[in-house]
Amino acid sequence: MTTFASDTLTRDALTVLQPGFSGTTAPDWLLRRLGEGLASVGLFGRNIASPEQLASLTAQLRAEREDVLVAIDEEGGDVTRLEVHTGSSFPGNHALGAIDDVELTREVAAELGRRLAACGVNLNWAPSADVNSNPSNPVIGVRSFGADTALAARHTAAYVTGLQSAGVAACTKHFPGHGDTAVDSHEAMPRIDAGLDVLAERELPPFRAAIAAGTRAVMTAHILVPALDPARPATLSPRILTDLLRGELGYDGLVVTDGMEMRAVAATYGIERGSVLALAAGVDAICVGGGLTDEETVRRLRDALVTAVRTGELPEERLAEAAARVRSLARWTTATPAAEAAPRPEIGLTAARRALRVTAPRPHEPLAEAPYVAALTPVANIAVGDETPWGVAAELRELLPSTETATYTDETAARAALEAAGPRRIVAVVRDEHRHPWMSKTLDTLLHERPDTIIVEMGVPQSPPRGALHIATHGAARVCGRAAAEIIAGRR
């Protein structure tokens, strides 16, 4: 492949990329690219072992480029990178929406931002402003503040305000709204067939609220919305990004793509072609690196953008404008001091406790003996990942040390759990029961055989509460599990 000399054009092409890498220290190639013009780096769970290690890594990056944008996908709740191996200390959006206290949402986001800033992270790909209007949505769910547009809008604004008060740029996602989808864009192209009136009244208000709150970045969605553009997904659509986001909504900050290696784009356009189309449509930064982590990817994308400019497919002015927005955000992160605030280490658990919805036909008698926990576990979506632990077993074990648990994934769960539990009380933990018929059948059997079964729903609660005790946590963060365990064991 042709290579190009280092000049303004190639520097701009590097500047608009947000690549990832493997390992917990920066590879030599990444440090070298920072010296050549690369302005952003994306971090994932694979890059993080501890807060101390993360701070050392970001210091290593800043030794090469002081104003580098260090981005992370830290939503709290189910999607955590800071605490990928333990589960999050913060409940996610759905729990905050269930509480509906905008000041608490602001405070939670501010504390999360404080922890990110302390580790050297200055751009967070959060919050999710998607209105979860489709209960069958496989990828948003508890990442949304809820199904009510006004609620999602006010909490999105509060989250942006709180996060940015810590000097960490918010990246509101997934524009123009990923909530009414039944397909995961990591796997295929989702489609929203709502009309313009519905989109204006349901999907767009949270983004309007985020813009009014001063969100420094917006992330695009790899979704097809025919009412806005029948031909191209939002990430590649000038109608959606330039006409709607820039024009109608008046947004002038950084526009970032969702991961370009996701199959919704990569399988149809390829990441090089997709990146060129995205820049031409109005995107400023290309997020790539969730699965592609090598120098070759960066070189290919840089050269694809340079070639597109030299062949006239991508206007040089558009690339220069995009690079300027990246550098502008980098300057904001270095010039914006965090508001002085004392650490609030307890705020995540406090919020998780407030988010619980507890239903019991009779007063619950706290467990005196350790139960058997049957974790009915669906396949995790890629955004959440399967490496982050969830549930209530570990938290119950701290309170009732002999607690045992097993994971079940199909229709054989009920009989296996009944046999394994023996006389012990059963705690059945589910995640989005309404989306998984095998979970409902399992609970039917367990309740028929053992009416004293306790049920903990850690996804979006849609099915009617049942069981001797039903706890809806509105998310699967570690603190949500802790809050539920306290109720079961009678420690609150």
Side-chain angles (χ1 to χ4, degrees), residues 7-377:
D7 56 15
T8 299
L9 181 57
T10 56
R11 289 187 68 85
D12 284 351
L14 277 175
T15 297
V16 301
L17 302 181
Q18 287 190 351
F21 61 95
S22 297
T24 54
T25 59
D28 290 342
W29 70 261
L30 184 67
L31 299 176
R32 185 174 66 256
R33 293 300 187 190
L34 287 172
E36 294 173 357
L38 186 69
S40 307
V41 176
L43 300 182
F44 298 84
R46 62 176 178 257
N47 304 121
I48 299 169
S50 69
E52 295 76 18
Q53 169 270 322
L54 178 56
S56 177
L57 168 59
T58 58
Q60 184 186 17
L61 297 172
R62 290 205 165 82
E64 291 296 325
R65 179 170 182 145
E66 184 178 3
D67 66 345
V68 63
L69 289 171
V70 181
I72 200 170
D73 196 2
E74 181 57 52
E75 300 176 15
D78 292 33
V79 179
T80 179
R81 309 303 180 224
L82 280 183
E83 299 177 280
V84 66
H85 302 298
T86 61
S88 182
S89 300
F90 300 91
N93 285 4
H94 206 62
L96 296 171
I99 301 166
D100 196 13
D101 179 342
V102 292
E103 181 58 20
L104 179 64
T105 295
R106 188 198 66 76
E107 291 172 351
V108 167
E111 175 62 16
L112 178 58
R114 187 193 67 78
R115 295 193 194 184
L116 289 171
C119 294
V121 175
N122 54 15
L123 172 59
N124 191 10
W125 294 319
S128 168
D130 309 296
V131 178
N132 196 55
S133 56
N134 186 345
S136 297
N137 196 312
V139 69
I140 300 300
V142 294
R143 301 168 66 196
S144 166
F145 289 109
D148 179 84
T149 296
L151 179 145
R154 60 181 174 265
H155 285 278
T156 296
Y159 197 105
V160 167
T161 301
L163 186 65
Q164 294 188 165
S165 73
V168 176
C171 181
T172 305
K173 61 188 183 185
H174 306 81
F175 188 81
H178 210 311
D180 189 17
T181 59
V183 173
D184 185 345
S185 50
H186 291 88
E187 305 291 351
M189 181 73 75
R191 177 186 174 108
I192 295 180
D193 285 313
L196 289 175
D197 290 347
V198 171
L199 295 170
E201 294 175 5
R202 186 181 65 189
E203 264 71 30
L204 296 184
F207 292 97
R208 292 184 184 274
I211 292 168
T215 187
R216 306 302 302 189
V218 168
M219 178 176 282
T220 66
H222 301 331
I223 57 174
L224 190 66
V225 188
L228 297 173
D229 188 334
R232 289 186 177 176
T235 298
L236 313 183
S237 171
R239 297 185 190 180
I240 294 174
L241 300 185
T242 299
D243 298 345
L244 176 58
L245 180 58
R246 297 287 190 205
E248 184 178 330
L249 273 60
Y251 177 66
D252 193 39
L254 189 77
V255 176
V256 185
T257 71
D258 207 343
M260 293 299 287
E261 69 273 22
M262 294 163 63
R263 290 186 60 80
V265 169
T268 305
Y269 298 90
I271 63 167
E272 294 99 328
R273 173 72 175 154
S275 296
V276 170
L277 293 174
L279 264 293
V283 157
D284 303 307
I286 302 295
C287 175
V288 62
L292 300 170
T293 61
D294 59 345
E295 182 178 16
E296 176 65 13
T297 297
V298 172
R299 187 183 64 79
R300 283 165 47 206
L301 291 176
R302 179 204 64 184
D303 290 357
L305 296 176
V306 169
T307 297
V309 169
R310 291 182 170 174
T311 60
E313 184 178 11
L314 175 64
E316 186 170 2
E317 296 78 7
R318 172 79 272 277
L319 178 60
E321 176 188 50
R325 282 205 181 95
V326 173
R327 296 180 188 117
S328 176
L329 181 57
R331 287 194 299 272
W332 179 88
T333 64
T334 58
T336 302
E340 291 188 12
R344 299 280 303 277
E346 81 296 339
I347 194 168
L349 181 56
T350 298
R353 288 167 173 163
R354 289 183 60 186
L356 295 184
R357 297 295 179 266
V358 180
T359 307
R362 294 178 299 278
H364 170 61
E365 292 291 334
L367 300 192
E369 297 181 353
Y372 179 80
V373 178
L376 310 187
T377 305

Side-chain angles (χ1 to χ4, degrees), residues 434-449:
H434 65 284
R435 294 201 302 113
H436 304 284
W438 71 269
M439 287 187 192
S440 295
K441 292 177 182 178
T442 298
L443 295 183
D444 290 343
T445 302
L446 291 178
L447 290 171
H448 181 266
E449 299 288 336

